[in-house]
Amino acid sequence: GLHGKGLYREDDDVGNIMYDRRIVRGNTYAAQVVTQQQQREVERVRNENERRLRREAARRRRMEKGQESGTPRAVEGRRHCEAQTETYLEVLTDKPPEVEVETQTDGFIEKKTLGEPLYMPAKTGIDVETEIAPGELFDFDEEVKPILEVLVGKTLQVSMLEVLEEEELANIRARQIEFEQMRDIELAEVQRL
């Protein structure tokens, strides 16, 4: 291939994305406001694409007519050949190398194991012991008291709030029913008059 743009951009100057014109800021549902600079950039890209398409069409027409792609004919006594110009060369062959490999596995021999594990890994490292007397590290009953008090207290507080909320909702429903009854009585009086 020819030397050209790489597969990825090589941006050494990775800056603040707040100043990157490709990042959309603000409400994305609103109409996009296109600045003059953005409009010029879109025009430039469109013109480049049109020029590239025209060049490709011209190259295709030349190829159809039998002309080579811009390379002059070889000097008498010499010939043109393909050459790799990439940074890393690779060996190009029509047929990749083939290698045959065979293996033979041993027949399955069933072992009768009497309570032994099938595989016991070898021990590594040095065995070390530490003796801890009861009460040396911590006393579970003493250490759990504050945590338990918080849990029980919070549970009681939440349950009291739920009970108060249920009572309040019941009172609101009762007042609503009472209000509706009074309104119905007043409507009946108004209709009677």
Side-chain angles (χ1 to χ4, degrees):
L2 298 172
H3 291 292
K5 275 191 158 181
L7 187 59
Y8 302 104
R9 284 192 308 253
E10 294 179 11
D11 288 337
D12 294 333
D13 56 318
V14 176
N16 190 341
I17 65 170
M18 288 300 294
Y19 302 106
D20 191 340
R21 62 182 169 75
R22 297 170 292 181
I23 305 298
V24 178
R25 286 173 287 284
N27 186 352
T28 56
Y29 295 110
Q32 292 291 326
V33 177
V34 179
T35 63
Q36 288 180 348
Q37 181 181 357
Q38 289 172 334
Q39 206 166 6
R40 275 184 252 137
E41 180 69 16
V42 167
E43 279 296 317
R44 187 186 63 76
V45 169
R46 186 180 303 131
N47 290 339
E48 275 182 22
N49 287 340
E50 286 175 4
R51 268 188 253 124
R52 184 176 46 81
L53 289 173
R54 273 190 249 121
R55 269 187 265 135
E56 286 178 11
R59 186 180 55 79
R60 262 190 254 113
R61 282 194 299 270
R62 270 184 294 177
M63 293 295 276
E64 288 172 1
K65 291 179 184 177
Q67 293 178 350
E68 292 283 326
S69 62
T71 305
R73 297 198 188 288
V75 179
E76 191 174 325
R78 295 186 182 177
R79 62 184 176 92
H80 287 304
C81 65
E82 294 288 324
Q84 290 186 20
T85 57
E86 285 86 17
T87 307
Y88 300 105
L89 297 178
E90 60 180 294
V91 179
L92 301 175
T93 60
D94 291 337
K95 185 178 177 188
E98 295 179 1
V99 178
E100 287 189 23
V101 177
E102 296 181 7
T103 60
Q104 178 65 43
T105 57
D106 294 333
F108 180 70
I109 302 170
E110 189 173 327
K111 279 185 173 180
K112 298 270 183 186
T113 56
L114 301 173
E116 294 178 23
L118 296 176
Y119 171 72
M120 178 69 86
K123 266 189 157 184
T124 58
I126 302 168
D127 289 343
V128 178
E129 296 178 358
T130 302
E131 185 175 340
I132 299 172
E136 261 186 27
L137 288 179
F138 70 99
D139 183 11
F140 179 79
D141 293 336
E142 283 300 315
E143 300 292 331
V144 83
K145 275 183 186 177
I147 298 170
L148 201 57
E149 285 175 4
V150 169
L151 287 173
V152 169
K154 192 69 176 170
T155 305
L156 287 173
Q157 183 182 5
V158 170
S159 60
M160 284 295 292
L161 286 173
E162 287 178 4
V163 168
L164 289 173
E165 185 179 345
E166 288 174 7
E167 286 180 8
E168 187 176 350
L169 287 173
N171 287 339
I172 289 172
R173 275 190 227 105
R175 293 282 295 162
Q176 194 172 9
I177 291 170
E178 190 178 308
F179 174 76
E180 287 175 0
Q181 287 175 350
M182 288 182 65
R183 188 185 64 197
D184 291 342
I185 291 171
E186 288 177 0
L187 283 175
E189 282 184 36
V190 169
Q191 287 178 356
R192 197 180 56 185
L193 293 177

